Amino acid sequence: MSVHIGGKPGDIAERVLLPGDPMRAKWIAETFLEDAVCYTQVRGMLGFTGTWQGVRVSVQGSGMGMPSASIYTHELINEYGVKSVIRIGSCGALAMDLNLGDVIAAIGSATDSNMNRTRFDGLVDYAPVADFGLLRTAVDAAEAQGTPIRVGPILAADAFYTDRPDLYDSLADYGVLAVEMESAAIYTIAARYKAKALTILTVSDHIKRGEAMDSAQREQGFSNMVKIGLNTAIA
Ligand code: HPA
């Protein structure tokens, strides 16, 4: 057991999907994995291990935001020997050519979080990036299953509700596709402890157009993303 995860050593696979929502972890385990077993319920942040196409995979809720996602990423890698972490989640689109349900792979993650500024004493703006091998595999997996995937940079924001929509406009001008709340920390911690990380997202809302998915759109969109994540994890 680590501080925040109740699993025993060996309970967690080397390849982990990391949705923010623990109930989505449960849904993924029940819908996609075979022989899924729940290894942790600590703080309600559910984690499951099962198999996908015969390969052991775990799905662990990370919670919302970088402090929470950092805890799970750190403990998965350092306490359970996890080698690759694939965040799957939702995002708010900034790019005007993105639509609800579109799938994004985050090549890099800009952030307004202070975590990396603290890490580097404010002297360096560290660039959190995806593992290139995982990214390439995800793009191939998406093509193989016929799901269009957009690769580009995103913003990992500390706040869901912002008082500075003007900053989102500037980021969009610089090619930032969308906003979520975890990727920069996951990429940084994976790099620090020599693991691989990738973030795959489904556009659940369009920030600039004020649109949001309904529940049927969410489930279909998320299924395509989960399959890309699972096929990337086992490759
Ligand atoms: N902002 C931040 N995170 C998100 C959003 C958003 O608009 N939508 C889904 N995750």
Side-chain angles (χ1 to χ4, degrees):
M1 233 189 116
S2 63
V3 176
H4 302 91
I5 302 174
K8 297 187 298 301
D11 281 354
I12 304 180
E14 288 189 352
R15 310 139 192 260
V16 179
L17 257 53
L18 207 60
D21 178 356
M23 293 312 288
R24 195 168 297 151
K26 183 169 189 278
W27 174 74
I28 292 166
E30 288 170 352
T31 310
F32 296 94
L33 298 186
E34 280 183 39
D35 305 321
V37 172
C38 179
Y39 59 78
T40 185
Q41 301 191 51
V42 175
R43 291 175 185 248
M45 201 55 72
L46 305 174
F48 301 82
T49 298
T51 63
W52 169 252
Q53 299 188 358
V55 181
R56 249 176 127 230
V57 178
S58 297
V59 191
Q60 169 69 54
S62 73
M64 288 179 282
M66 286 178 266
S68 183
S70 296
I71 289 171
Y72 292 97
T73 306
H74 184 107
E75 292 182 16
L76 286 169
I77 296 168
N78 290 301
E79 308 280 337
Y80 293 94
V82 167
K83 304 279 187 245
S84 56
V85 178
I86 301 174
R87 162 162 159 71
I88 47 174
S90 59
C91 63
L94 297 175
M96 294 311 283
D97 57 354
L98 282 171
N99 293 303
L100 299 183
D102 285 357
V103 178
I104 295 174
I107 192 168
S109 178
T111 185
D112 60 11
S113 160
N114 219 32
M115 293 175 93
N116 283 351
R117 289 183 202 132
T118 308
R119 214 181 281 277
F120 294 105
D121 239 354
L123 298 172
V124 170
D125 288 330
Y126 177 76
V129 293
D131 175 78
F132 178 67
L134 286 181
L135 179 60
R136 178 149 70 176
T137 303
V139 171
D140 289 346
E143 272 175 18
Q145 75 183 56
T147 303
I149 190 165
R150 179 80 175 271
V151 178
I154 61 169
L155 173 72
D158 265 346
F160 184 89
Y161 299 104
T162 182
D163 284 335
R164 294 294 305 272
D166 55 310
L167 288 183
Y168 286 178
D169 292 339
S170 299
L171 287 162
D173 288 343
Y174 282 81
V176 172
L177 298 177
V179 186
E180 51 84 87
M181 300 180 70
E182 291 81 18
S183 55
I186 294 170
Y187 285 179
T188 302
I189 290 167
R192 171 71 179 80
Y193 298 111
K194 311 285 179 269
K196 300 175 179 180
L198 177 66
T199 293
I200 309 171
L201 302 166
T202 300
V203 174
S204 62
D205 45 273
H206 201 294
I207 293 175
K208 297 231 225 184
R209 287 204 292 268
E211 301 166 354
M213 270 179 154
D214 61 32
S215 53
Q217 286 174 308
R218 272 178 183 260
E219 185 155 334
Q220 183 54 46
F222 291 165
S223 292
N224 290 335
M225 169 180 64
V226 170
K227 283 184 205 147
I228 296 168
L230 287 168
N231 287 330
T232 302
I234 67 166

Coordinates of all heavy atoms in Angstrom, one line a residue, residues 10-74:
G10 N 2.5 -5.5 -7.0 CA 2.1 -6.5 -8.0 C 0.6 -6.4 -8.4 O 0.2 -7.0 -9.4
D11 N -0.2 -5.7 -7.6 CA -1.6 -5.6 -8.0 C -1.8 -4.7 -9.2 O -2.9 -4.7 -9.9 CB -2.4 -4.9 -6.9 CG -2.7 -5.9 -5.8 OD1 -2.4 -7.1 -6.0 OD2 -3.3 -5.5 -4.7
I12 N -0.9 -3.8 -9.5 CA -1.1 -2.8 -10.6 C -0.2 -3.1 -11.8 O 1.0 -3.5 -11.6 CB -0.8 -1.4 -10.0 CG1 -1.7 -1.1 -8.8 CG2 -1.0 -0.3 -11.1 CD1 -1.5 0.2 -8.2
A13 N -0.7 -3.1 -13.0 CA 0.0 -3.4 -14.2 C 1.1 -2.3 -14.5 O 1.0 -1.2 -13.9 CB -0.9 -3.6 -15.3
E14 N 2.0 -2.7 -15.3 CA 3.1 -1.7 -15.7 C 2.5 -0.6 -16.6 O 3.1 0.5 -16.8 CB 4.2 -2.4 -16.4 CG 5.1 -3.2 -15.5 CD 6.3 -3.7 -16.2 OE1 6.5 -3.5 -17.4 OE2 7.2 -4.3 -15.5
R15 N 1.3 -0.9 -17.2 CA 0.7 0.1 -18.1 C -0.6 0.5 -17.5 O -1.5 -0.3 -17.1 CB 0.4 -0.6 -19.4 CG 1.6 -1.3 -20.0 CD 1.1 -2.6 -20.6 NE 2.2 -3.5 -20.9 CZ 2.7 -3.6 -22.1 NH1 2.2 -3.0 -23.2 NH2 3.8 -4.4 -22.3
V16 N -0.8 1.8 -17.3 CA -2.0 2.4 -16.6 C -2.7 3.4 -17.3 O -2.0 4.4 -17.8 CB -1.5 2.9 -15.2 CG1 -2.7 3.5 -14.4 CG2 -0.9 1.8 -14.3
L17 N -4.0 3.3 -17.5 CA -4.8 4.4 -18.0 C -5.2 5.2 -16.8 O -5.6 4.7 -15.7 CB -6.1 3.8 -18.7 CG -6.0 3.8 -20.2 CD1 -4.8 3.2 -20.7 CD2 -7.3 3.2 -20.8
L18 N -5.2 6.6 -16.9 CA -5.4 7.4 -15.8 C -6.6 8.4 -16.1 O -6.3 9.6 -16.5 CB -4.1 8.2 -15.5 CG -3.8 8.7 -14.1 CD1 -3.7 7.6 -13.1 CD2 -2.5 9.5 -14.2
P19 N -7.8 8.0 -15.9 CA -8.9 9.0 -16.1 C -9.0 9.8 -14.8 O -8.6 9.4 -13.7 CB -10.2 8.1 -16.2 CG -9.8 6.8 -15.5 CD -8.3 6.7 -15.6
G20 N -9.5 11.1 -14.9 CA -9.7 11.9 -13.7 C -10.7 11.3 -12.8 O -10.6 11.3 -11.6
D21 N -11.8 10.9 -13.4 CA -13.0 10.5 -12.6 C -13.0 9.0 -12.2 O -12.9 8.1 -13.1 CB -14.2 10.8 -13.6 CG -15.6 10.4 -12.9 OD1 -15.6 9.8 -11.8 OD2 -16.6 10.6 -13.6
P22 N -13.0 8.7 -10.9 CA -12.9 7.3 -10.5 C -14.1 6.5 -11.0 O -14.0 5.3 -11.3 CB -13.0 7.4 -9.0 CG -13.5 8.8 -8.6 CD -13.1 9.6 -9.8
M23 N -15.3 7.1 -11.2 CA -16.4 6.4 -11.8 C -16.2 6.0 -13.2 O -16.7 5.0 -13.8 CB -17.7 7.1 -11.6 CG -18.1 7.3 -10.1 SD -18.1 5.7 -9.2 CE -19.5 4.9 -9.9
R24 N -15.4 6.9 -13.9 CA -15.0 6.5 -15.3 C -14.0 5.3 -15.3 O -14.1 4.5 -16.2 CB -14.5 7.7 -16.0 CG -14.5 7.5 -17.5 CD -14.2 8.7 -18.3 NE -15.2 9.7 -18.1 CZ -15.0 11.0 -18.2 NH1 -13.8 11.5 -18.5 NH2 -16.0 11.8 -18.1
A25 N -13.2 5.3 -14.3 CA -12.3 4.2 -14.2 C -13.1 2.9 -14.0 O -12.8 1.9 -14.7 CB -11.3 4.3 -13.0
K26 N -14.1 2.9 -13.2 CA -15.0 1.8 -13.0 C -15.7 1.4 -14.3 O -15.7 0.2 -14.7 CB -16.0 2.1 -11.9 CG -16.9 1.0 -11.5 CD -17.7 1.4 -10.3 CE -18.5 0.2 -9.7 NZ -19.8 0.0 -10.3
W27 N -16.2 2.4 -15.0 CA -16.9 2.1 -16.3 C -16.0 1.5 -17.3 O -16.3 0.6 -18.0 CB -17.5 3.5 -16.8 CG -18.1 3.4 -18.1 CD1 -19.3 2.8 -18.5 CD2 -17.5 3.8 -19.4 NE1 -19.5 2.8 -19.8 CE2 -18.4 3.5 -20.4 CE3 -16.3 4.5 -19.7 CZ2 -18.2 3.8 -21.8 CZ3 -16.1 4.8 -21.0 CH2 -17.0 4.4 -22.0
I28 N -14.7 2.0 -17.4 CA -13.8 1.5 -18.3 C -13.4 0.0 -18.0 O -13.4 -0.9 -18.8 CB -12.5 2.3 -18.3 CG1 -12.7 3.7 -18.9 CG2 -11.3 1.6 -19.1 CD1 -11.6 4.7 -18.7
A29 N -13.2 -0.2 -16.7 CA -12.9 -1.6 -16.2 C -14.1 -2.6 -16.6 O -13.8 -3.7 -17.1 CB -12.6 -1.6 -14.7
E30 N -15.3 -2.1 -16.3 CA -16.4 -3.0 -16.5 C -16.8 -3.1 -18.0 O -17.2 -4.2 -18.5 CB -17.7 -2.4 -15.8 CG -17.6 -2.6 -14.3 CD -18.6 -1.9 -13.5 OE1 -19.4 -1.1 -14.1 OE2 -18.7 -2.1 -12.3
T31 N -16.5 -2.1 -18.8 CA -16.9 -2.1 -20.2 C -15.8 -2.7 -21.1 O -16.2 -3.4 -22.1 CB -17.2 -0.7 -20.7 OG1 -18.1 -0.1 -19.7 CG2 -17.8 -0.6 -22.1
F32 N -14.6 -2.5 -20.8 CA -13.5 -2.9 -21.7 C -12.6 -4.0 -21.2 O -12.1 -4.8 -22.0 CB -12.6 -1.7 -22.1 CG -13.4 -0.6 -22.8 CD1 -14.0 0.5 -22.1 CD2 -13.5 -0.6 -24.2 CE1 -14.7 1.5 -22.7 CE2 -14.2 0.4 -24.8 CZ -14.8 1.4 -24.1
L33 N -12.3 -4.1 -19.9 CA -11.3 -5.1 -19.4 C -12.0 -6.4 -19.1 O -13.1 -6.5 -18.8 CB -10.6 -4.5 -18.2 CG -9.9 -3.2 -18.3 CD1 -9.1 -2.9 -17.0 CD2 -8.9 -3.3 -19.5
E34 N -11.2 -7.5 -19.3 CA -11.6 -8.8 -18.8 C -11.0 -9.1 -17.5 O -9.9 -8.6 -17.2 CB -11.1 -9.8 -19.8 CG -12.0 -9.9 -21.0 CD -11.6 -11.0 -22.0 OE1 -11.2 -12.1 -21.5 OE2 -11.6 -10.7 -23.2
D35 N -11.7 -9.8 -16.6 CA -11.3 -10.2 -15.3 C -10.8 -9.0 -14.5 O -9.8 -9.1 -13.8 CB -10.2 -11.2 -15.4 CG -10.6 -12.4 -16.3 OD1 -11.8 -12.8 -16.1 OD2 -9.8 -12.9 -17.0
A36 N -11.5 -7.9 -14.5 CA -11.1 -6.7 -13.8 C -11.3 -6.9 -12.3 O -12.4 -7.3 -11.9 CB -11.8 -5.5 -14.3
V37 N -10.3 -6.5 -11.5 CA -10.4 -6.6 -10.1 C -10.1 -5.2 -9.5 O -9.1 -4.5 -10.0 CB -9.3 -7.6 -9.5 CG1 -9.2 -7.5 -8.0 CG2 -9.6 -9.0 -10.0
C38 N -10.9 -4.7 -8.6 CA -10.6 -3.4 -7.9 C -9.5 -3.6 -6.9 O -9.7 -4.4 -5.9 CB -11.9 -2.9 -7.3 SG -11.8 -1.3 -6.4
Y39 N -8.4 -2.8 -7.0 CA -7.3 -3.0 -6.0 C -7.3 -1.8 -5.0 O -6.5 -1.9 -4.1 CB -6.0 -3.1 -6.7 CG -5.6 -2.0 -7.6 CD1 -5.2 -0.8 -7.1 CD2 -5.8 -2.1 -9.0 CE1 -4.9 0.3 -7.9 CE2 -5.5 -1.0 -9.8 CZ -5.0 0.2 -9.3 OH -4.7 1.2 -10.1
T40 N -8.0 -0.8 -5.3 CA -8.0 0.3 -4.3 C -9.4 1.1 -4.3 O -10.0 1.3 -5.4 CB -6.9 1.3 -4.5 OG1 -6.9 2.3 -3.4 CG2 -7.0 2.1 -5.8
Q41 N -9.8 1.4 -3.1 CA -10.9 2.3 -2.9 C -10.6 3.5 -2.0 O -11.5 4.2 -1.6 CB -12.1 1.5 -2.3 CG -12.5 0.4 -3.2 CD -13.9 -0.2 -2.7 OE1 -14.8 0.5 -2.5 NE2 -13.9 -1.5 -2.4
V42 N -9.3 3.7 -1.7 CA -8.9 4.7 -0.8 C -9.4 6.1 -1.3 O -9.1 6.4 -2.5 CB -7.3 4.7 -0.6 CG1 -6.9 5.9 0.2 CG2 -6.9 3.4 0.0
R43 N -10.0 6.8 -0.4 CA -10.6 8.1 -0.8 C -11.6 8.0 -1.9 O -11.9 9.0 -2.6 CB -9.5 9.1 -1.1 CG -8.7 9.5 0.1 CD -7.6 10.4 -0.3 NE -6.8 10.6 0.9 CZ -6.7 11.8 1.6 NH1 -7.3 12.9 1.1 NH2 -5.9 11.9 2.6
G44 N -12.1 6.9 -2.2 CA -13.1 6.7 -3.3 C -12.4 6.8 -4.7 O -13.1 6.8 -5.7
M45 N -11.1 6.8 -4.7 CA -10.3 7.0 -6.0 C -10.0 5.6 -6.5 O -8.9 5.1 -6.3 CB -9.1 7.8 -5.8 CG -8.5 8.4 -7.0 SD -9.7 9.5 -7.9 CE -9.8 10.9 -6.8
L46 N -11.0 5.0 -7.2 CA -11.0 3.6 -7.6 C -9.9 3.3 -8.6 O -9.6 4.1 -9.5 CB -12.3 3.2 -8.2 CG -13.6 3.5 -7.3 CD1 -14.9 3.2 -8.0 CD2 -13.5 2.7 -6.0
G47 N -9.3 2.1 -8.4 CA -8.4 1.6 -9.4 C -8.6 0.1 -9.7 O -9.0 -0.7 -8.7
F48 N -8.5 -0.3 -10.9 CA -8.8 -1.7 -11.3 C -7.6 -2.2 -12.2 O -7.0 -1.5 -13.0 CB -10.0 -1.7 -12.2 CG -11.3 -1.2 -11.5 CD1 -11.5 0.2 -11.5 CD2 -12.2 -2.0 -10.9 CE1 -12.6 0.7 -10.8 CE2 -13.3 -1.5 -10.2 CZ -13.5 -0.1 -10.2
T49 N -7.4 -3.5 -12.1 CA -6.5 -4.2 -13.0 C -7.3 -5.3 -13.7 O -8.0 -6.1 -13.0 CB -5.3 -4.8 -12.3 OG1 -4.6 -3.7 -11.7 CG2 -4.3 -5.5 -13.2
G50 N -7.1 -5.4 -15.0 CA -7.7 -6.5 -15.8 C -6.8 -6.8 -17.0 O -5.6 -6.4 -17.0
T51 N -7.4 -7.3 -18.0 CA -6.6 -7.5 -19.3 C -7.4 -6.9 -20.4 O -8.6 -6.9 -20.5 CB -6.3 -9.0 -19.6 OG1 -7.6 -9.7 -19.8 CG2 -5.5 -9.6 -18.5
W52 N -6.6 -6.4 -21.4 CA -7.2 -5.9 -22.7 C -6.4 -6.7 -23.8 O -5.2 -6.6 -23.8 CB -7.0 -4.4 -22.8 CG -7.3 -3.9 -24.2 CD1 -6.3 -3.4 -25.1 CD2 -8.5 -3.7 -24.8 NE1 -7.0 -2.9 -26.2 CE2 -8.3 -3.1 -26.1 CE3 -9.9 -4.0 -24.4 CZ2 -9.4 -2.8 -26.9 CZ3 -10.9 -3.6 -25.3 CH2 -10.6 -3.1 -26.5
Q53 N -7.1 -7.5 -24.5 CA -6.5 -8.3 -25.6 C -5.4 -9.2 -25.0 O -4.3 -9.3 -25.5 CB -6.0 -7.5 -26.7 CG -7.2 -6.8 -27.3 CD -7.0 -6.0 -28.6 OE1 -5.8 -6.0 -29.1 NE2 -8.0 -5.5 -29.2
G54 N -5.6 -9.7 -23.8 CA -4.7 -10.6 -23.1 C -3.5 -9.9 -22.4 O -2.7 -10.6 -21.8
V55 N -3.4 -8.6 -22.4 CA -2.3 -7.9 -21.8 C -2.9 -7.2 -20.5 O -3.9 -6.6 -20.5 CB -1.7 -6.9 -22.7 CG1 -0.5 -6.2 -22.0 CG2 -1.2 -7.5 -24.0
R56 N -2.1 -7.3 -19.4 CA -2.5 -6.7 -18.2 C -2.5 -5.2 -18.3 O -1.4 -4.6 -18.6 CB -1.5 -7.1 -17.1 CG -2.1 -8.0 -16.0 CD -1.1 -8.5 -15.0 NE -1.6 -8.2 -13.7 CZ -0.9 -7.5 -12.8 NH1 0.3 -7.1 -13.0 NH2 -1.5 -7.3 -11.6
V57 N -3.5 -4.6 -17.9 CA -3.7 -3.1 -17.9 C -4.4 -2.7 -16.6 O -5.3 -3.4 -16.2 CB -4.4 -2.6 -19.1 CG1 -4.6 -1.1 -19.1 CG2 -3.8 -3.0 -20.4
S58 N -4.0 -1.6 -16.0 CA -4.7 -1.0 -14.9 C -5.4 0.3 -15.3 O -4.9 1.0 -16.2 CB -3.8 -0.8 -13.7 OG -3.3 -2.0 -13.2
V59 N -6.5 0.6 -14.6 CA -7.2 1.9 -14.8 C -7.3 2.5 -13.4 O -7.9 2.0 -12.5 CB -8.6 1.7 -15.4 CG1 -9.1 3.1 -15.9 CG2 -8.5 0.8 -16.6
Q60 N -6.7 3.7 -13.2 CA -6.7 4.4 -11.9 C -7.3 5.8 -12.0 O -6.8 6.6 -12.8 CB -5.2 4.4 -11.4 CG -5.0 5.2 -10.2 CD -5.6 4.6 -8.9 OE1 -5.4 3.5 -8.6 NE2 -6.4 5.4 -8.2
G61 N -8.2 6.1 -11.2 CA -8.7 7.5 -11.1 C -7.6 8.4 -10.6 O -6.8 8.0 -9.7
S62 N -7.5 9.6 -11.1 CA -6.4 10.5 -10.7 C -7.0 11.7 -9.9 O -6.2 12.5 -9.3 CB -5.7 11.1 -11.9 OG -6.5 12.0 -12.6
G63 N -8.3 11.9 -9.9 CA -8.9 13.1 -9.4 C -8.7 14.3 -10.3 O -8.1 14.1 -11.4
M64 N -9.2 15.4 -9.9 CA -9.1 16.6 -10.7 C -8.0 17.5 -10.3 O -7.8 17.8 -9.1 CB -10.4 17.4 -10.6 CG -11.6 16.7 -11.3 SD -13.1 17.6 -11.2 CE -13.6 17.2 -9.5
G65 N -7.2 18.0 -11.3 CA -6.2 19.0 -11.0 C -4.8 18.4 -10.8 O -4.7 17.2 -10.5
M66 N -3.8 19.3 -10.9 CA -2.5 18.8 -10.8 C -2.0 18.3 -9.5 O -1.3 17.3 -9.4 CB -1.5 19.9 -11.4 CG -1.7 19.9 -13.0 SD -0.8 21.1 -13.9 CE -2.0 22.4 -14.0
P67 N -2.4 18.9 -8.4 CA -2.0 18.3 -7.1 C -2.5 16.9 -6.9 O -1.7 16.0 -6.5 CB -2.6 19.2 -6.0 CG -2.7 20.6 -6.7 CD -3.0 20.2 -8.2
S68 N -3.7 16.6 -7.3 CA -4.2 15.2 -7.1 C -3.5 14.3 -8.2 O -3.0 13.2 -7.8 CB -5.7 15.2 -7.3 OG -6.2 13.9 -7.1
A69 N -3.5 14.7 -9.4 CA -2.9 13.8 -10.4 C -1.4 13.6 -10.1 O -0.9 12.5 -10.4 CB -3.0 14.5 -11.8
S70 N -0.7 14.5 -9.5 CA 0.7 14.3 -9.1 C 0.9 13.2 -8.1 O 1.8 12.4 -8.2 CB 1.3 15.6 -8.5 OG 1.2 16.6 -9.4
I71 N 0.0 13.2 -7.2 CA 0.0 12.2 -6.1 C -0.1 10.8 -6.7 O 0.8 9.9 -6.5 CB -1.1 12.4 -5.1 CG1 -0.8 13.6 -4.2 CG2 -1.2 11.1 -4.2 CD1 -1.9 14.0 -3.3
Y72 N -1.1 10.6 -7.6 CA -1.3 9.2 -8.2 C -0.2 8.9 -9.1 O 0.3 7.7 -9.1 CB -2.7 9.1 -8.8 CG -3.7 9.2 -7.7 CD1 -4.4 10.4 -7.4 CD2 -4.0 8.1 -6.9 CE1 -5.3 10.5 -6.4 CE2 -4.9 8.2 -5.9 CZ -5.5 9.4 -5.6 OH -6.4 9.5 -4.5
T73 N 0.3 9.8 -9.9 CA 1.4 9.5 -10.9 C 2.6 9.2 -10.1 O 3.3 8.2 -10.4 CB 1.6 10.7 -11.8 OG1 0.4 11.1 -12.4 CG2 2.6 10.4 -12.9
H74 N 2.9 9.9 -9.1 CA 4.2 9.7 -8.3 C 4.1 8.3 -7.7 O 5.1 7.5 -7.8 CB 4.3 10.8 -7.2 CG 5.5 10.7 -6.4 ND1 6.6 11.5 -6.5 CD2 5.9 9.8 -5.5 CE1 7.6 11.2 -5.7 NE2 7.2 10.1 -5.1

